[in-house]
């Protein structure tokens, strides 16, 4: 099977990839990311630990890996007005994984930009505003991660 696009040619900014490194323990990083997301305007309606689930269910022996499902209800409502298909990508996720003890990676990719790239979302002014608004909130979150002794990589 060949992909319709070459992932190697896509600039990470086109799909809203953001990364930060937090020099803290895993549980502290989860709490920090949760608080920052809430402060900038995202709620966290969903969260879970795939590593705990996999370690329990299939004896995977995975290092700590956590998903915070972030959502701004007003933006989500606007996005659904434009395309119901966006719900297949909900919520916007912030992923935290332990690279080594005391060092956590925070990762995010924009579902709004991905939906536009895949043709799931319209190419119109309303969607562009949704992309810009979520992008601004995410950028603010990653700036705040940076203010707590982090190393931000775009």
């Amino acid at each position: 099977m060949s992909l319709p696009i070459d992932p190697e040619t896509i600039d990470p900014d086109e799909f809203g990839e953001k990364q930060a490194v937090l020099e803290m323990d895993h549980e502290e990083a989860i709490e920090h990311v949760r608080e920052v997301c809430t402060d900038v305007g995202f709620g966290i309606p969903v969260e879970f630990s795939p590593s705990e689930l996999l370690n329990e269910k299939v004896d995977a022996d995975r290092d700590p890996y956590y998903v915070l499902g972030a959502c701004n209800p007003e933006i989500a409502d606007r996005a659904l007005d434009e395309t119901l298909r966006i719900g297949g990508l909900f919520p916007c996720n912030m992923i935290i994984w332990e690279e080594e003890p005391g060092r956590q990676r925070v990762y995010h990719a924009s579902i709004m930009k991905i939906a536009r790239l895949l043709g799931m979302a319209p190419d119109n002014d309303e969607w562009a505003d949704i992309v810009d608004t979520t992008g601004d909130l995410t950028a603010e979150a990653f700036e705040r991660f940076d203010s707590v002794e982090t190393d931000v990589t775009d």
Side-chain angles (χ1 to χ4, degrees):
M1 178 178 133
S2 66
L3 296 174
I5 55 176
D6 179 359
E8 298 295 319
T9 65
I10 299 175
D11 182 336
D13 190 52
E14 289 185 62
F15 58 92
E17 181 178 75
K18 298 249 183 243
Q19 297 185 54
V21 172
L22 301 176
E23 301 292 340
M24 57 183 66
D25 71 55
H26 191 67
E27 293 300 320
E28 183 182 6
I30 293 168
E31 187 57 35
H32 177 64
V33 172
R34 183 186 297 114
E35 287 176 9
V36 168
C37 285
T38 301
D39 288 348
V40 302
F42 290 113
I44 307 293
V46 177
E47 58 183 279
F48 66 103
S49 172
S51 59
E52 286 181 15
L53 175 72
L54 296 171
N55 290 347
E56 177 185 321
K57 298 293 183 184
V58 297
D59 199 25
D61 193 31
R62 294 211 167 263
D63 291 333
Y65 187 97
Y66 204 82
V67 178
L68 291 171
C71 182
N72 178 293
E74 290 81 17
I75 298 170
D77 186 50
R78 288 175 53 205
L80 285 168
D81 282 345
E82 293 298 311
T83 177
L84 294 174
R85 293 167 56 187
I86 191 64
L89 299 176
F90 278 176
C92 299
N93 288 320
M94 294 285 184
I95 313 300
I96 303 110
W97 70 79
E98 185 173 75
E99 293 186 331
E100 60 185 57
R103 183 180 172 92
Q104 315 305 315
R105 172 80 52 179
V106 182
Y107 180 86
H108 170 79
S110 169
I111 66 168
M112 303 306 180
K113 285 186 173 187
I114 290 169
R116 187 176 58 196
L117 281 172
L118 296 176
M120 294 173 66
D123 185 14
N124 62 22
D125 290 341
E126 177 64 12
W127 199 263
D129 187 59
I130 289 168
V131 167
D132 289 345
T133 303
T134 56
D136 290 346
L137 292 174
T138 302
E140 184 178 345
F142 276 82
E143 286 171 14
R144 290 184 186 202
F145 298 153
D146 191 38
S147 69
V148 182
E149 299 178 19
T150 61
D151 170 31
V152 174
T153 309
D154 279 319

